[in-house]
Amino acid sequence: MRHTFTLANGVEIPAVGFGTYKAADGQGEAVISEAIRQGYRHLDTASAYLNEEAVGKAVRESGIPREEFFITSKVWRSRLGYESTRKEFETSLKKLGTDYLDLYLIHWPRPEDLSAEWRELDVETWKAMEELYRAGKVRAIGVSNFLPHHLNNLMERTGIVPVVNQLEFHPGYIQKAAVDFSQRLGIQVEAWSPIGRARVLKEPLLAELADKYQVSVAQICIRFALQCGVLPLPKSSSPERMRQNLDVFGFTIEDDDMHRLMTLPQIGWSGEHPDRERVPAEG
């Protein structure tokens, strides 16, 4: 059975994706090819990951038709603006070896220089993406790491509401305000780092629930996201863990356990925040 979410524009998207961040070294293509063998058809990449060529090659060499894949890429924060976004998009298509994308995102709402004016840059970037969408070059457009004030800037000044907002989301860091705001607008939230970091994996409550439901801690994290209406994008280089991370539809976390997970103190934050300088990650 194929599990999907339906975006606000009617496009179906596989309910668990494969995060390709850090799959950029010599093993990157092998890892992505293995993910495809394990059943992943939703692949999340970005120009900043430096692995679009590896993703494209893995897709082509899989022998599976392109239309069976859902491929996402993103315009990097140093390329914000109308013309640079158009160029970045075409570069991504060329590297991926495809003539369309399923989803294209603004990777971060602000350039690396946090003192720079971001509002106009985002609007110009979004206008370029709207044109690509209307031209059929991309099936859906969205954003990543956008908080409510970033989203409001777009919605007040452009014509299309983003259909996706990709956020850091995992037990111990659920960004409730940003998730609730997005979901009220019909924006599908995707979770990058849905399993968190070492501190999340070692959290006693996660271990307790993994034992209770007879699954892995990672499966608890991924199922938690799904039950929150959030689409998880787990990463792994292990075939066994890849397989486990897709096998999350045979159990349901009970309401009380969901509430316990939702109310964990903050743990495992990456240190990334769109309006702040990066700080050391929380384990």
Side-chain angles (χ1 to χ4, degrees):
M1 180 181 176
R2 193 174 179 214
H3 299 275
T4 62
F5 285 100
T6 302
L7 302 179
N9 67 346
V11 168
E12 283 201 5
I13 180 171
V16 179
F18 185 75
T20 68
Y21 176 57
K22 292 192 175 174
D25 57 18
Q27 298 302 308
E29 188 189 324
V31 168
I32 297 159
S33 293
E34 184 60 42
I36 293 170
R37 278 193 289 276
Q38 295 302 331
Y40 290 88
R41 297 295 178 265
H42 175 182
L43 304 174
D44 181 83
T45 184
S47 61
Y49 298 170
L50 304 177
N51 63 10
E52 289 170 310
E53 288 167 327
V55 170
K57 191 174 179 191
V59 166
R60 286 191 302 279
E61 293 187 351
S62 71
I64 297 165
R66 162 69 181 90
E67 58 269 21
E68 292 190 25
F69 287 93
F70 192 100
I71 300 176
T72 300
S73 196
K74 312 176 191 78
V75 57
W76 185 235
R77 62 201 308 176
S78 63
R79 305 293 292 164
L80 297 176
Y82 178 84
E83 290 295 344
S84 51
T85 296
R86 299 275 308 199
K87 288 176 185 170
E88 185 92 329
F89 180 83
E90 292 300 329
T91 299
S92 288
L93 285 189
K94 186 174 181 181
K95 288 182 176 178
L96 285 159
T98 184
D99 56 3
Y100 74 97
L101 282 180
D102 296 282
L103 178 63
Y104 199 46
L105 307 179
I106 303 177
H107 205 148
W108 289 91
R110 299 174 75 134
E112 277 130 323
D113 176 3
L114 294 176
S115 66
E117 174 46 53
W118 57 271
R119 292 172 182 82
E120 196 63 39
L121 280 172
D122 281 0
V123 168
E124 290 303 312
T125 301
W126 193 249
K127 285 178 178 175
M129 292 170 68
E130 287 179 326
E131 287 182 9
L132 293 166
Y133 174 66
R134 292 189 180 108
K137 301 283 279 182
V138 59
R139 297 173 66 216
I141 52 176
V143 296
S144 179
N145 301 298
F146 272 55
L147 303 180
H149 56 291
H150 305 127
L151 284 166
N152 275 333
N153 174 60
L154 282 189
M155 292 187 300
E156 288 165 4
R157 302 172 62 193
T158 62
I160 298 175
V161 176
V163 295
V164 162
N165 187 13
Q166 196 175 108
L167 297 165
E168 180 177 0
F169 178 96
H170 53 76
Y173 195 74
I174 62 172
Q175 300 211 66
K176 182 170 170 52
V179 170
D180 287 355
F181 186 86
S182 297
Q183 290 180 335
R184 282 198 302 273
L185 292 166
I187 298 171
Q188 176 64 54
V189 177
E190 293 183 345
W192 64 261
S193 193
I195 302 167
R197 280 154 188 75
R199 202 165 149 203
V200 176
L201 293 170
K202 293 173 184 171
E203 162 59 38
L205 173 59
L206 272 291
E208 175 195 325
L209 295 181
D211 184 61
K212 174 178 177 177
Y213 293 97
Q214 290 298 288
V215 295
S216 69
V217 168
Q219 285 171 302
I220 290 289
C221 292
I222 293 165
R223 183 68 201 178
F224 170 72
L226 290 167
Q227 287 184 220
C228 289
V230 173
L231 191 160
L233 301 166
K235 302 186 295 289
S236 180
S237 57
S238 156
E240 176 60 26
R241 286 195 293 273
M242 288 177 185
R243 188 160 49 249
Q244 286 181 351
N245 292 348
L246 276 179
D247 183 18
V248 290
F249 298 97
F251 72 102
T252 301
I253 302 172
E254 295 169 5
D255 285 350
D256 275 356
D257 293 335
M258 284 294 291
H259 289 135
R260 293 168 75 198
L261 289 168
M262 288 177 189
T263 53
L264 276 170
Q266 181 169 300
I267 52 171
W269 177 42
S270 67
E272 300 275 9
H273 187 286
D275 292 328
R276 305 283 181 100
E277 295 290 343
R278 194 181 191 287
V279 299
E282 291 187 347

